[in-house]
Amino acid sequence: MTTGLFITLEGPDGSGKTTQARLLAEWLTAQGYPLVTTREPGGTRIGEAIRAVVHDCAHTEMAPQAEILLYSAARAQHVAEVIRPALAAGKLVLCDRYFDSTYAYQGYGRGLPLDSLRMITHFAVQGLIPDLTLYLDISPEVGLQRRARSGGELNRLDREALAFHERVRAGYLALAAAEPARWRIIDADRPPEDVQQALRAALTTNLHEFTRI
Ligand code: TYD
């Protein structure tokens, strides 16, 4: 039984997710919410070690099945060590990427069977589903250009072809359409201040309910 509020942020590469997550966290903290921010893959000592392996551009030989199990192993540790305890303590958990990234990237992007991914995920997270998923939507062309301009390091997934990123985006939109009550789609192709305003507005109902508990 959880008493906290579990919010995830999703989006293709270059959607500005990391900056928006930071701004959102500052806003929530300023309002006094008991906030825990975290990210995937990572969020724990074991998870960060897995992140280094899974994102290493030298690991060109990585089998898609190994990739899924590595992301899922990091997630299992993250849920057990960080997310569940925080929710049980009544915290608001803001997580940058969660299992929807696996469905979008490994499922739709790589074309791996969603049924298997759902089984693996269910085992890894033991049924822990976000209360709300905020999705920053942007076309891959714009997203990848932004990513290149920001000069940040490219990981193994960033280096995939444009068609891969197009499948990822289509996957996100399909996931959102299948579960409209959990998802909010935010247009990320506009000034960062506007995106931030939209994110805050999308949170309102959940924050009210959270405060009332
Ligand atoms: P990261 O450097 O954290 O970038 P971003 O700012 O885009 O979140 O890289 C995360 C990368 O890992 C991103 O390319 C998506 C990928 N990923 C998956 O493919 N499957 C997953 O389950 C997760 C959590 C991430």
Side-chain angles (χ1 to χ4, degrees):
M1 182 59 197
T2 60
T3 56
L5 180 65
F6 184 23
I7 297 171
T8 56
L9 269 173
E10 294 285 349
D13 304 82
S15 58
K17 193 166 46 55
T18 307
T19 308
Q20 294 296 338
R22 183 176 46 76
L23 294 172
L24 203 56
E26 285 169 9
W27 178 70
L28 290 165
T29 305
Q31 291 185 88
Y33 286 103
L35 184 71
V36 171
T37 53
T38 187
R39 69 160 182 185
E40 290 202 358
T44 64
R45 193 162 61 105
I46 291 169
E48 293 294 333
I50 294 173
R51 179 185 178 92
V53 171
V54 79
H55 284 176
D56 190 335
C57 291
H59 292 165
T60 51
E61 74 279 30
M62 189 177 293
Q65 291 79 3
E67 182 178 278
I68 291 165
L69 292 169
L70 285 169
Y71 281 123
S72 302
R75 181 164 304 131
Q77 186 65 31
H78 194 207
V79 167
E81 190 182 324
V82 176
I83 304 177
R84 255 189 219 285
L87 292 173
K91 301 272 167 65
L92 191 168
V93 177
L94 182 63
C95 186
D96 186 345
R97 296 195 183 281
Y98 190 54
F99 60 52
D100 296 299
S101 284
T102 297
Y103 300 152
Y105 283 79
Q106 281 67 49
Y108 289 89
R110 297 231 185 276
L112 293 157
L114 278 171
D115 286 359
S116 308
L117 297 187
R118 289 193 196 280
M119 248 172 56
I120 293 165
T121 299
H122 190 76
F123 178 72
V125 307
Q126 301 282 298
L128 185 67
I129 297 169
D131 295 298
L132 183 71
T133 297
L134 301 167
Y135 167 60
L136 295 177
D137 185 48
I138 197 143
S139 78
E141 287 88 350
V142 177
L144 293 174
Q145 266 169 24
R146 277 191 189 172
R147 188 81 162 195
R149 241 183 288 129
S150 75
E153 247 178 53
L154 295 184
N155 67 43
R156 226 166 33 80
L157 281 294
D158 292 326
R159 291 182 175 216
E160 287 290 337
L162 189 61
F164 172 85
H165 293 283
E166 271 160 3
R167 289 196 299 276
V168 170
R169 184 198 194 188
Y172 269 128
L173 292 172
L175 292 165
E179 269 183 280
R182 173 163 72 90
W183 289 73
R184 300 285 178 276
I185 301 175
I186 312 288
D187 174 10
D189 191 6
R190 46 187 174 158
E193 312 79 62
D194 296 1
V195 176
Q196 183 60 206
Q197 280 312 320
L199 283 171
R200 291 177 190 180
L203 275 176
T204 316
T205 312
N206 294 74
L207 288 179
H208 280 155
E209 279 169 12
F210 179 54
T211 316
R212 234 183 285 127
I213 291 169

